[in-house]
Amino acid sequence: MADIIIKNAYILTMDPEAGDIENGVVVIEDGKIKEIGTSTEHTAEKIIDAKGSVLMPGLVNTHCHAGMTIFRGYADDMQLQDWLENHIWPAEAKLTDEDIYAGTRLACLEMIRSGTIAFADMYIHEDRVAQAVDEAGIRAALSYGMIDFGDKDKADRELEVGTAFVKEWNGKADGRIITMYGPHAPNTCSREFLIRVKEQAVKDDVKLHIHVLETEAELNYMKENFGMCSIHFLKGIDFWGTDVLAAHCVWLSDGDIKILAEYGVNISHNPISNMKLASGICPVAKLIDAGANVCLGTDGCASNNNLDMFEEMRTAALLQKVSVMDPTVLPARKVLEMATTNGAKALGINSGMLKEGYNADMIIVDMNRAHLTPVYDVASHLVYAASGKDVTTTIVNGKVLMEDGKVLSMDEQEVIDAAIRISKDLISKVDN
């Protein structure tokens, strides 16, 4: 007997060979998709009727600082340096393990509610991030964010902490947690440190997560200090490869784009954060045309304010169209690929597609709503009309984390209350 059968669904498989399936059935067993089609002879302990809804792969958020939910709305509408140096960094210096745990639980709750089944995180106190992920039932690729600013002693300490975290948590939580190395950025990490981190990641057979050319200030800094941009600098130390997840990648030349595509680098596009901080526009259309794997991320809630990947999809599509003045650029299906299959590829997880043998990581979106009526094109609706609030059911690793709008894996009100309490305490400490 199977664990779960979902029936009567419009299945958006994201599998180019299978296409969409109307009135489809998915059978889930032992955390995997056992069968997918229009009928089944299997029986299951649990039957979910998804009539009037779309069943699709859960979304993958490939760049996030989950614990920053407690900074949601704390410092808005400011210049980047003012925002960072006078507000975010002083507040982060006061963060405790418990703050990060509460913030990450809130992030997991928000992601489960809005259809995200996996996220890539780079932050501090990462052991507590991992604990929150384990308890929430979601999937994550976690990295301790490392900065050395050219200080050898600090570099040694950072790498020691990062390595310990990688080895402690990789493969934990029934395989839902994978670990990565997280050197912050080329302008905050020394050349020597980046080389050491890359070597350690190769040795431990894990991926790397790094910010790259998020701002024009980084571009100018790298050119002034090294005579080249971040892309060429990292190429010069053999950093690039399919094991790298590069966030932002806003200030790219055509030559940079060619390098990223050639080395198979995974690019996490964060349109809302980039817009809010006025960082610029990532040349997504050019990257895709060059063959690069481009996925989507929200960044942290201090520079986005929510973790709704449906909103991120819509913004990515619209921003790219107006940036190149071409309404045909980045159509709905392509954006859905970025948020599902491309994201799963970037993290190296067997999700992002509804196909036999893949992880049972999926969501149900209720289409029987005023703003989703009528339905001419399902993919178009999911990108241009739907929001995370339309997700009714979230399943990760074959476990139902939310059903019919009720979160089952967490005590929702307790998580919210804890985050409110933590945020008040934190800001009072910062203000004093």
Side-chain angles (χ1 to χ4, degrees):
M1 181 178 285
D3 299 319
I4 303 171
I5 291 177
I6 303 173
K7 64 179 184 178
N8 298 326
Y10 183 100
I11 304 178
L12 189 82
T13 69
M14 297 309 296
D15 177 359
E17 297 178 0
D20 296 357
I21 302 172
E22 294 192 47
N23 295 317
V25 176
V26 169
V27 180
I28 298 171
E29 187 173 289
D30 296 328
K32 304 288 185 184
I33 298 172
K34 184 177 181 66
E35 186 180 33
I36 183 167
T38 54
S39 63
T40 183
E41 295 183 357
H42 287 279
T43 58
E45 296 178 7
K46 183 177 185 63
I47 306 291
I48 298 175
D49 190 341
K51 186 176 182 181
S53 298
V54 169
L55 178 66
M56 63 177 286
L59 307 178
V60 181
N61 183 346
T62 54
H63 183 63
C64 182
H65 311 290
M68 293 188 84
T69 53
I70 54 175
F71 294 139
R72 191 195 318 266
Y74 167 59
D76 286 340
D77 305 323
M78 297 179 178
Q79 293 292 336
L80 178 60
Q81 287 308 112
D82 180 27
W83 178 77
L84 274 176
E85 295 177 7
N86 299 320
H87 298 275
I88 298 302
W89 285 347
E92 284 184 331
K94 303 285 187 178
L95 287 173
T96 66
D97 281 2
E98 195 59 32
D99 297 334
I100 295 295
Y101 175 67
T104 303
R105 290 176 75 210
L106 183 64
C108 290
L109 174 62
E110 184 179 351
M111 285 189 268
I112 289 168
R113 275 211 154 277
S114 56
T116 292
I117 54 90
F119 68 99
D121 190 70
M122 179 203 291
Y123 211 37
I124 51 180
H125 302 289
E126 206 68 12
D127 286 299
R128 294 291 268 163
V129 174
Q131 182 184 347
V133 168
D134 186 8
E135 295 169 358
I138 200 168
R139 197 180 293 278
L142 306 178
S143 58
Y144 168 66
M146 301 180 290
I147 296 174
D148 76 316
F149 287 125
D151 183 327
K152 175 66 166 59
D153 291 338
K154 183 172 175 56
D156 291 343
R157 291 194 301 272
E158 291 284 82
L159 189 54
E160 183 179 350
V161 173
T163 302
F165 175 75
V166 162
K167 294 183 175 179
E168 170 66 22
W169 283 98
N170 199 29
K172 292 293 179 64
D174 297 321
R176 286 185 288 107
I177 293 176
I178 59 173
T179 55
M180 308 171 81
Y181 279 96
H184 180 262
N187 60 323
T188 57
C189 295
S190 67
R191 181 180 186 276
E192 293 72 23
F193 184 57
L194 289 166
I195 291 171
R196 290 174 65 192
V197 173
K198 173 70 177 187
E199 290 174 347
Q200 191 66 46
V202 171
K203 179 181 177 182
D204 294 337
D205 194 25
V206 298
K207 295 178 181 290
L208 299 110
H209 188 175
I210 185 171
H211 300 83
V212 178
L213 289 179
E214 179 178 3
T215 64
E216 188 177 21
E218 177 190 334
L219 175 65
N220 293 336
Y221 173 88
M222 296 302 291
K223 285 187 173 181
E224 289 169 9
N225 287 273
F226 301 99
M228 65 186 79
C229 74
S230 300
I231 304 299
H232 286 77
F233 173 81
L234 291 170
K235 179 186 177 184
I237 61 171
D238 295 324
F239 190 88
W240 293 129
T242 56
D243 58 342
V244 178
L245 173 61
H248 301 295
C249 296
V250 172
W251 291 86
L252 302 177
S253 68
D254 289 346
D256 296 337
I257 290 170
K258 184 177 180 181
I259 290 171
L260 292 172
E262 178 186 344
Y263 283 86
V265 178
N266 304 285
I267 297 106
S268 179
H269 177 39
N270 296 222
I272 296 177
S273 175
N274 294 157
M275 290 168 68
K276 190 183 178 198
L277 295 176
S279 298
I281 304 172
C282 173
V284 173
K286 285 186 175 182
L287 283 162
I288 291 173
D289 286 346
N293 183 49
V294 185
C295 42
L296 283 175
T298 59
D299 212 348
C301 280
S303 62
N304 183 326
N305 297 58
N306 71 48
L307 303 173
D308 188 341
M309 283 286 287
F310 281 89
E311 185 176 299
E312 210 71 38
M313 284 195 290
R314 183 171 187 263
T315 303
L318 300 182
L319 178 62
Q320 206 60 205
K321 292 175 192 299
V322 75
S323 72
V324 299
M325 296 304 291
D326 182 353
T328 69
V329 164
L330 220 59
R333 289 266 173 181
K334 181 59 68 174
V335 181
L336 281 164
E337 286 177 16
M338 290 168 63
T340 55
T341 53
N342 293 8
K345 178 183 177 182
L347 303 191
I349 56 176
N350 194 33
S351 306
M353 194 182 295
L354 300 187
K355 187 174 183 177
E356 187 176 323
Y358 275 55
N359 292 328
D361 296 342
M362 60 193 73
I363 60 176
I364 296 175
V365 183
D366 183 7
M367 304 297 281
N368 189 34
R369 303 195 174 191
H371 63 282
L372 298 177
T373 303
V375 180
Y376 297 114
D377 185 313
V378 170
S380 174
H381 264 22
L382 291 170
V383 172
Y384 298 122
S387 80
K389 296 181 182 66
D390 298 317
V391 177
T392 58
T393 299
T394 301
I395 298 172
V396 177
N397 217 31
K399 307 293 184 186
V400 180
L401 306 187
M402 179 175 75
E403 185 173 12
D404 292 333
K406 180 176 176 55
V407 176
L408 306 177
S409 63
M410 312 177 79
D411 182 333
E412 185 164 4
Q413 195 57 54
E414 189 271 327
V415 170
I416 291 171
D417 290 344
I420 292 172
R421 184 179 66 254
I422 286 288
S423 63
K424 287 181 178 178
D425 292 343
L426 176 62
I427 299 309
S428 67
K429 285 187 288 186
V430 174
D431 291 343
N432 293 329

